[in-house]
Amino acid sequence: MSLLNDLIDLNLSENTEKIIAEYIWIGGSGMDMRSKARTLPGPESDPSKLPKWNYDGSSTEQATGDNSEVIIYPQAIFRDPFRRGKHILVMCDAYTPTGDPIPTNKRFNAAKIFSQPEVVAEEPWFGIEQEYTLLQKDIKWPLGWPVGGYPGPQGPYYCAVGADKAFGREIVDAHYKACLYAGIDISGINAEVMPGQWEFQVGPICGISCADQVWMARYILERITEIAGAVLSFDPKPVSGDWNSAGAHTNYSTKSMRSDDGIQVIKKAIEKLSKRHKEHIAAYGKGNERRLTGFHETADINTFSWGVANRGASVRVGRDTEQAGKGYFEDRRPSSNMDPYTVTSMIAETTILWKP
């Protein structure tokens, strides 16, 4: 194993200018992440200068066997925390050979919304709180839970320390540092209410870059759990019963909201969101009905509500925003398995572009 580790850690820059680029894309389920690597002649920081590539879409449930080629377009570049050096991770989206976005490419439509002049002028900022659950590899049961059984009731686990309360911290800390190395604007991590469940936060970031970074952070996390021998779950309700669910609360503001008396703009935006509640819920993640029950710090899925400092509402306005008269609000409805391209662009579309 020591020789294997030595080979993995080889510093290629001493012998060649060539670098390794890991191309990453989203598979047919809308949540599975796929990747493969290629050699490039030298370092590159501009995704538009990277070559397009292709993959077998019939093996990812994105094409038929008789017309299987899917083309991936590089969209964002990050430093590679696994190979290090000048090697890169490349976030891509997927197209047919004729240049049309395939159905699972949610980035294409998001890019159109974020490029609208009205949206650009408002400089929309997003901060996403990504919750997830770490599972034991062979039994798919939360990390730290007794096999076939349950830990003690919720209460001592949130932001906890101790071997009997915090499970998987090595994975979480490794992910935190790897994201910072990669150039992701990860702003924090914490243990969640259910044992074995954690959260990382990305942002605030303007526009579509937030979604690019959340997807890359997800990829890095899954690579780390692969190394650690754990399984990563974004299921919005991984354990039924009296246990908290997993969401992706999305914090949002525009230039107008961050300006003096922006609270009035915030209230108007929330009013717009209330009128498109069903459309947003339909796009906010699969299985969300198991999570949005009105219990465990969630609102009922069928009813829109908002409030100041209310974690049982669909939308929460922070106490600091209320006091300052400007700031941001939090959409608490997105589930942990939501597509950040869809959620961020839909919030921007509804609050900026949509005319009721």
Side-chain angles (χ1 to χ4, degrees):
M1 287 298 292
S2 61
L3 176 58
L4 180 61
N5 289 334
D6 287 345
L7 289 171
I8 291 172
D9 292 335
L10 272 177
N11 183 2
L12 299 182
S13 64
E14 296 176 353
N15 302 93
T16 179
E17 290 293 317
K18 295 178 180 179
I19 68 158
I20 301 171
E22 191 80 23
Y23 278 45
I24 298 151
W25 69 94
I26 301 158
S29 74
M31 275 304 295
D32 58 312
M33 302 200 73
R34 310 291 180 117
S35 75
K36 60 178 183 173
R38 68 183 298 166
T39 305
L40 298 178
E44 184 54 70
S45 59
D46 183 353
S48 68
K49 294 181 180 179
L50 292 177
K52 297 173 185 176
W53 207 3
N54 65 77
Y55 66 89
D56 172 15
S58 69
S59 296
T60 62
E61 299 182 356
Q62 292 170 299
T64 57
D66 61 344
N67 189 21
S68 64
E69 194 166 281
V70 177
I71 314 301
I72 41 179
Y73 294 20
Q75 298 291 356
I77 294 175
F78 300 86
R79 292 184 291 273
D80 186 340
F82 303 103
R83 296 186 176 105
R84 305 181 193 180
K86 295 180 180 179
H87 308 298
I88 55 176
L89 303 177
V90 184
M91 192 67 215
C92 304
D93 60 351
Y95 296 80
T96 66
T98 57
D100 297 315
I102 66 173
T104 52
N105 180 353
K106 307 303 181 185
R107 192 186 193 280
F108 180 80
N109 187 63
K112 289 200 296 184
I113 291 171
F114 283 118
S115 64
Q116 293 292 317
E118 290 176 79
V119 177
V120 173
E122 280 291 351
E123 300 174 11
W125 291 0
F126 297 91
I128 295 177
E129 306 169 29
Q130 176 68 71
E131 294 178 337
Y132 60 93
T133 308
L134 297 173
L135 304 177
Q136 300 169 58
K137 181 180 177 181
D138 296 324
I139 60 173
K140 304 294 177 65
W141 198 234
L143 210 62
W145 290 37
V147 176
Y150 297 85
Q154 295 184 153
Y157 309 108
Y158 173 68
C159 296
V161 295
D164 58 340
K165 296 181 286 292
F167 310 118
R169 190 183 298 277
E170 297 92 344
I171 292 171
V172 176
D173 269 358
H175 176 246
Y176 197 173
K177 291 181 178 180
C179 283
L180 287 172
Y181 180 93
I184 292 169
D185 293 314
I186 184 169
S187 47
I189 56 97
N190 62 267
E192 270 301 333
V193 177
M194 190 185 87
Q197 192 175 94
W198 294 80
E199 172 185 299
F200 66 87
Q201 302 95 33
V202 172
I205 306 166
C206 189
I208 202 168
S209 293
C210 185
D212 286 335
Q213 293 197 28
V214 169
W215 272 117
M216 188 56 68
R218 286 174 170 179
Y219 172 82
I220 291 171
L221 179 56
E222 190 143 24
R223 284 282 303 274
I224 291 171
T225 57
E226 173 191 322
I227 295 166
V231 173
L232 173 63
S233 172
F234 290 112
D235 191 304
K237 186 70 175 178
V239 182
S240 60
D242 194 18
W243 303 99
N244 269 38
S245 50
H249 303 152
T250 302
N251 300 276
Y252 171 68
S253 72
T254 63
K255 187 175 182 179
S256 298
M257 295 176 190
R258 298 187 294 270
S259 301
D260 290 343
D261 204 29
I263 191 69
Q264 301 305 321
V265 182
I266 288 173
K267 289 179 179 179
K268 289 177 182 177
I270 293 172
E271 177 64 20
K272 284 186 173 184
L273 289 173
S274 73
K275 293 178 179 178
R276 297 191 74 198
H277 178 61
K278 289 184 179 180
E279 292 91 334
H280 279 256
I281 287 295
Y284 274 14
K286 296 177 181 178
N288 215 4
E289 71 282 351
R290 294 183 285 119
R291 169 181 165 261
L292 295 180
T293 60
F295 299 97
H296 303 109
E297 299 181 78
T298 69
D300 180 79
I301 194 170
N302 298 308
T303 306
F304 183 90
S305 60
W306 76 277
V308 176
N310 183 358
R311 282 180 164 77
S314 307
V315 170
R316 179 183 69 89
V317 174
R319 190 71 69 186
D320 53 347
T321 294
E322 180 193 45
Q323 292 173 350
K326 60 183 178 181
Y328 71 98
F329 65 82
E330 174 192 45
D331 191 339
R332 297 179 58 80
R333 296 171 296 172
S335 66
S336 50
N337 60 1
M338 63 82 158
D339 189 316
Y341 293 128
T342 299
V343 169
T344 57
S345 61
M346 194 172 191
I347 291 173
E349 180 184 36
T350 295
T351 60
I352 301 172
L353 299 176
W354 186 60
K355 311 299 182 186

